[in-house]
Amino acid sequence: MKISSIELIPVMLPYKAPVSDAWGLYDSVRYSIVRVTGESGLKGYGEVSLAWFGGVHDLCREAQREWVPRLIGLDTSQITYINSVLDECCTFSRRSLLVKAGIEMAVWDLLGRERGLAVYDMLGGRVRNRIALTGAVAMLPPEEMVAQAREAVDAGYRELKVKVGLEEKKDLDTVSRIRAAVPDDIRLRVDANMAWKDRKTARRMMDALYGYGVEIVEQPLDYRDLEGMAWLRNNTPCRILIDEGIWDWRDAARHVLAGAADLFHVYICEAGGIQGARRIFDVGGAFGTGCTIGSMPEAVVGACAAAHVAAAMPNLSVYPSDIRGFTVFAEDVATSAMKVRNGCLELPEGPGLGFEMDEEKLEALRADRS
Ligand SMILES: [Mg+2]
């Protein structure tokens, strides 16, 4: 079906409680919802998500003006061609990949609704029915982090992801307290969000954390320091999961060539959409690098896109993914059967990306009207 309109609608989504990491504290996000309307009037939706740097509203305004005219009249069945047109639009800025992803997933959603197929079926079908997730432990005072860890274990999570990177002594102390507070068979990973300033600091921290059973360390160093990451892989027992360093498949290929990654953390938004994410999985598959899925955190629409990719990729890692961000929002524009139960994500149901858009809620959460 031909595309007759594309609207990038700015929204403000409030968190239930402030979210923290090594970079700061946030109480809401400025995302955009992409509404693609076909010539029959049928609609598909995507999400443009970026939790940092003031969000994506400026980027989306520019895309509405400059990109959308190039896409009107294209057919929803030409997703590969639509990706090529969007790639030309994105050439000079990596952040544009976020906008590309929102538009691309909306086209998948519309195509699926038009054909009566779930997106994972269009990707070759489900290879799993649920996705193992990490339980989140945010950067908080130590006793609150221990309490969050206990709650996550009680909720059924088998691996905890602990935010670290501000103070070495506090981080080690907190992780040791979490280790003592949860059963031995619960795995621990930490996310440093690039906070360790040099490779020797990172090695010292990682050796100590390994002693507390931390197997995976997420983005220990600056995203540009591929040599440092490769050195850590050879000089510490921990596995290195690359998050900030990998946006698209080219980044993934560079990390493979540098020997810098044990695992890729794939974001549909950073990869420029569903096809872009699949290409990272293909790079990982070719070189034996595991792939897990990250969380911006996306709200329901973006999380559904992540869930469909996770369901359909044969080489999703046995290590858990992070598709639980949609649970942190106080309000959302869409609802879905997708839910987190016993530490696993249960997949969305229905055609397209498998959510119900609430148009009234979308109007209510619009950020360009008051
Ligand atoms: Mg991370």
Side-chain angles (χ1 to χ4, degrees):
M1 179 163 46
K2 286 202 173 2
I3 293 170
S4 57
S5 78
I6 299 177
E7 300 152 273
L8 292 97
I9 302 164
V11 293
M12 178 90 90
L13 302 179
Y15 289 132
K16 288 175 187 161
V19 169
S20 60
D21 63 19
W23 292 93
L25 186 70
Y26 320 88
D27 59 9
S28 65
V29 290
R30 290 183 174 86
Y31 290 176
S32 291
I33 295 296
V34 182
R35 180 165 58 201
V36 178
T37 306
E39 58 190 354
S40 74
L42 196 62
K43 296 177 197 315
Y45 301 86
E47 179 184 311
V48 188
S49 353
L50 177 66
W52 302 285
F53 319 119
V56 293
H57 292 174
D58 289 346
L59 290 169
C60 287
R61 260 197 300 278
E62 186 184 314
Q64 183 76 53
R65 195 177 59 236
E66 306 292 337
W67 304 11
V68 166
R70 302 182 63 175
L71 301 166
I72 301 301
L74 298 183
D75 198 285
T76 48
S77 63
Q78 297 175 281
I79 288 182
T80 300
Y81 180 67
I82 289 170
N83 265 274
S84 312
V85 173
L86 288 167
D87 280 337
E88 288 174 16
C89 298
C90 285
T91 299
F92 296 108
S93 162
R94 217 154 65 140
R95 271 191 218 174
S96 302
L97 289 166
L98 304 164
V99 186
K100 178 190 172 196
I103 296 173
E104 196 247 20
M105 79 177 74
V107 176
W108 279 101
D109 185 45
L110 178 54
L111 179 62
R113 289 172 196 270
E114 189 189 324
R115 304 279 168 98
L117 286 170
V119 169
Y120 47 64
D121 289 328
M122 295 192 285
L123 293 171
R126 293 183 186 197
V127 291
R128 56 188 70 77
N129 292 321
R130 60 182 57 82
I131 318 298
L133 301 178
T134 59
V137 180
M139 192 170 280
L140 295 165
E143 57 282 6
E144 289 176 48
M145 293 177 74
V146 172
Q148 272 199 350
R150 282 210 186 93
E151 278 165 32
V153 171
D154 289 345
Y157 291 98
R158 309 295 300 159
E159 180 165 340
L160 303 178
K161 168 166 157 172
V162 183
K163 290 284 186 184
V164 297
L166 282 187
E167 283 177 63
E168 291 180 28
K169 190 173 172 314
K170 184 232 172 194
D171 288 341
L172 294 176
D173 181 52
T174 305
V175 172
S176 81
R177 287 171 61 178
I178 290 172
R179 178 74 282 165
V182 302
D184 291 347
D185 62 342
I186 299 296
R187 289 195 304 257
L188 300 181
R189 78 170 67 166
V190 300
D191 186 359
N193 287 111
M194 312 191 285
W196 292 324
K197 294 305 171 207
D198 59 72
R199 58 180 77 171
K200 288 192 176 168
T201 303
R203 179 165 85 166
R204 192 171 64 244
M205 290 297 289
M206 289 164 70
D207 286 349
L209 289 163
Y210 189 75
Y212 301 128
V214 171
E215 190 175 354
I216 296 175
V217 175
E218 192 169 321
Q219 201 70 46
L221 299 171
D222 185 279
Y223 73 97
R224 292 160 292 197
D225 190 2
L226 276 63
E227 300 83 357
M229 239 75 76
W231 185 84
L232 287 173
R233 274 186 84 209
N234 290 327
N235 288 284
T236 75
C238 297
R239 291 174 197 268
I240 309 283
L241 183 151
I242 301 295
D243 179 340
E244 284 88 340
I246 291 183
W247 281 54
D248 66 6
W249 62 293
R250 294 179 185 85
D251 299 324
R254 273 192 284 275
H255 279 76
V256 166
L257 288 173
D262 291 294
L263 292 153
F264 297 148
H265 218 30
V266 182
Y267 290 67
I268 312 316
C269 55
E270 294 176 355
I274 289 170
Q275 276 200 353
R278 178 180 224 170
R279 291 173 104 168
I280 300 178
F281 275 85
D282 288 344
V283 173
F287 294 96
T289 310
C291 294
T292 52
I293 294 194
S295 173
M296 184 52 84
E298 288 86 354
V300 163
V301 174
C304 280
H308 281 262
V309 171
M313 294 300 109
N315 59 322
L316 182 75
S317 174
V318 294
Y319 290 108
S321 288
D322 286 345
I323 316 167
R324 50 172 156 61
F326 66 99
T327 63
V328 304
F329 293 96
E331 293 185 86
D332 206 322
V333 297
T335 53
S336 167
M338 176 177 64
K339 60 169 111 41
V340 177
R341 188 159 32 198
N342 285 329
C344 289
L345 184 76
E346 297 184 354
L347 298 177
E349 301 284 347
L353 290 172
F355 54 78
E356 295 285 329
M357 178 56 62
D358 181 339
E359 288 279 354
E360 280 178 26
K361 200 80 187 173
L362 178 58
E363 276 305 307
L365 292 172
R366 273 186 94 124
D368 57 349
R369 305 219 171 118
S370 55

